[in-house]
Amino acid sequence: MTQFPLDIFAQTRTPFYFYDLNLLQATLTEIKQSVSQPHIHVHYAIKANANPEILKVIKENGFGVDCVSGGEVEAALNAGFAADKIVFAGVGKSDWEIELGLDNNISCFNVESAAELDVIQEIAQIKGKTARVALRVNPNVDAHTHHYITTGLAENKFGISLDMLDSVIERCMVSPNIELLGLHFHIGSQITEIHPFERLCQRVNELQDKYESQGIKFSSINVGGGLGIDYNNPDENPIPDFKAYFSTFEQHLKLRPGQQLHFELGRSIVGQCGSLITKVLYVKEGVAKKFAIVDAGFTELIRPALYQAHHKIENLTSNSTKTHKYDVVGPICESSDRFGEAEILPTTSRGDLIALRSAGAYGEIMASQYNCRKLPQSIYAK
Ligand code: LLP
């Protein structure tokens, strides 16, 4: 369970991110224990959090990286990740980003359209290189998650639709500077049921059977990420059930001999190790409500405003045994700048420290400087 060092917090300017690197290490250890076979490769989805201290721990544990921009490829290389453990996805890769990947010999481009394949072929040819690619297939599997973070449905912008896959595979075959490694999938994020992953496995099996009958073999399958975390009970469930997750793939995916299996996990690795720590500036008595106005806003944590997400809110410093309902709101000039409505908290006063839990993934990395605010600092428990 994450312990909050309040003495250190008292000397640190709020708002800031607090990362429990011991929990991160325990999470990584659990993953390594759940996947001992050498054909399984876990790439950390760096989009979830690119804080250098976090990257250092993940790198030291031998993980690869999943990137979706040239900036992320640079961040991964700067953190010391080996290029041959970097995969690079994204629907809109710019020419310089493709060049960066080729110049550094990254392990695989996850290609999302025929048009992109042609540009990669063209740039690889100019450089006299071979680009290793996996085709990102849109498997039309419903992830049962928030519509903003579901990615595998047919009408989604991501991936190559099943109808067009044959023609893109053929195009790979006739592109001299392209080496087709396999297929890539990602159905969405914050998936808390196991069934969507089972359906994904079935879809992969169908496709493998189909292409095998045509004599096409893939050396690798990438099933993306998406495993969810328990936002309501971060202390009870600090580490997701990785054993159940990986064993779903082990049971349902019919891998061919020698085939490599790749995962791209973001939230499930870093989500629970981070909290946003903020200070109560004012308690404002409304007509029918009390507002706890805190010094963090959606500039530091945008998930509640953008996805109606809820992060558990805790008053770390109140000693009161009485509770009240508070709307916990930030200082940004927009009504969506609200972390919680009618939150039951102990009597809360100016100066109290509040933790917004489970903010390690898609928190700090999505921070903005709207209202000319400063980007948050971060501190660590090691
Ligand atoms: N692979 C691909 C191709 C992805 O697009 C993503 C996430 C991942 C892997 C990692 O997914 P994860 O294991 O973290 O679920 N900002 C949103 C989440 C966006 C996820 C985008 N793609 C949020 O705060 O909920």
Side-chain angles (χ1 to χ4, degrees):
M1 194 173 114
T2 292
Q3 305 285 334
F4 294 104
L6 294 179
D7 49 335
I8 297 173
F9 285 8
Q11 297 157 28
T12 310
R13 193 169 102 172
T14 50
F16 60 87
Y17 272 89
F18 170 67
Y19 294 112
D20 179 353
L21 298 184
N22 298 309
L23 176 56
L24 175 61
Q25 181 56 60
T27 307
L28 296 167
T29 302
E30 178 66 21
I31 296 176
K32 288 195 285 187
Q33 284 170 356
S34 309
V35 286
S36 44
Q37 303 95 317
H39 68 280
I40 298 185
H41 310 272
V42 180
H43 303 260
Y44 167 58
I46 193 170
K47 65 177 78 65
N49 191 323
N51 184 297
E53 291 292 321
I54 300 256
L55 295 187
K56 195 169 151 214
V57 178
I58 296 173
K59 192 228 130 193
E60 280 166 5
N61 279 268
F63 285 67
V65 190
D66 157 44
C67 299
V68 287
S69 73
E72 287 191 353
V73 173
E74 284 168 348
L77 292 170
N78 289 341
F81 285 94
D84 64 4
K85 287 187 172 184
I86 295 178
V87 296
F88 185 7
V91 288
K93 299 180 191 76
S94 309
D95 293 16
W96 76 266
E97 294 177 310
I98 295 169
E99 286 174 16
L100 179 75
L102 285 169
D103 290 344
N104 287 284
N105 295 321
I106 60 162
S107 77
C108 188
F109 289 90
N110 292 333
V111 171
E112 309 230 6
S113 65
E116 181 196 332
L117 184 73
D118 289 348
V119 173
I120 295 179
Q121 159 59 33
E122 206 179 293
I123 297 176
Q125 190 156 30
I126 293 168
K127 290 186 177 290
K129 295 211 167 206
T130 298
R132 288 173 293 274
V133 308
L135 298 180
R136 177 165 180 184
V137 182
N138 186 334
N140 200 13
V141 169
D142 191 347
H144 293 276
T145 182
H146 191 279
H147 61 284
Y148 279 13
I149 49 176
T150 188
T151 47
L153 282 173
E155 68 272 28
N156 229 287
K157 73 172 177 177
F158 297 100
I160 298 162
S161 74
L162 290 169
D163 300 342
M164 297 173 74
L165 189 55
D166 288 358
S167 73
V168 185
I169 290 179
E170 277 164 29
R171 218 167 174 128
C172 289
M173 305 298 178
V174 297
S175 302
N177 298 73
I178 298 286
E179 180 188 350
L180 177 60
L181 297 183
L183 302 179
H184 170 240
F185 306 81
H186 174 74
I187 54 173
S189 198
Q190 182 54 15
I191 300 171
T192 50
E193 299 165 21
I194 222 72
H195 309 292
F197 296 119
E198 289 174 0
R199 281 195 291 278
L200 171 61
C201 291
Q202 285 157 12
R203 194 50 57 89
V204 178
N205 293 340
E206 287 160 20
L207 286 172
Q208 291 235 75
D209 290 346
K210 173 182 161 183
Y211 288 109
E212 205 169 49
S213 70
Q214 297 173 15
I216 298 168
K217 287 192 178 139
F218 303 115
S219 60
S220 94
I221 295 292
N222 183 332
V223 290
L227 177 63
I229 61 170
D230 188 344
Y231 280 98
N232 297 325
N233 306 295
D235 290 321
E236 291 80 349
N237 292 313
I239 300 180
D241 192 349
F242 289 110
K243 289 211 168 63
Y245 172 73
F246 288 113
S247 78
T248 302
F249 290 91
E250 204 174 320
Q251 277 172 35
H252 296 274
L253 204 57
K254 286 192 251 146
L255 287 184
R256 304 324 197 230
Q259 219 165 36
Q260 306 297 301
L261 177 60
H262 298 260
F263 292 87
E264 301 171 341
L265 293 172
R267 188 189 320 262
S268 54
I269 296 181
V270 291
Q272 296 290 30
C273 77
S275 298
L276 175 61
I277 309 298
T278 177
K279 198 175 273 175
V280 177
L281 295 173
Y282 306 102
V283 175
K284 177 172 161 179
E285 303 279 345
V287 181
K289 301 182 159 192
K290 291 180 195 296
F291 293 92
I293 303 171
V294 298
D295 63 3
F298 70 51
T299 40
E300 286 73 38
L301 181 62
I302 200 171
R303 301 193 68 260
L306 196 55
Y307 315 116
Q308 297 93 46
H310 185 259
H311 289 253
K312 191 172 179 205
I313 300 177
E314 282 172 12
N315 187 325
L316 300 178
T317 50
S318 170
N319 293 321
S320 175
T321 50
K322 280 198 193 145
T323 58
H324 305 274
K325 284 185 183 160
Y326 297 91
D327 279 15
V328 179
V329 300
I332 313 291
C333 305
E334 306 221 14
S335 350
S336 62
D337 189 33
R338 185 175 66 188
F339 293 118
E341 203 178 351
E343 294 282 332
I344 299 171
L345 296 174
T347 307
T348 293
S349 322
R350 174 174 165 80
D352 283 353
L353 287 176
I354 300 277
L356 292 153
R357 303 292 306 274
S358 315
Y362 309 110
E364 185 183 1
I365 195 76
M366 292 180 80
S368 77
Q369 292 187 302
Y370 182 46
N371 285 189
C372 291
R373 285 168 61 82
K374 300 203 181 338
L375 289 173
Q377 304 294 307
S378 44
I379 63 171
Y380 312 88
K382 293 187 188 176

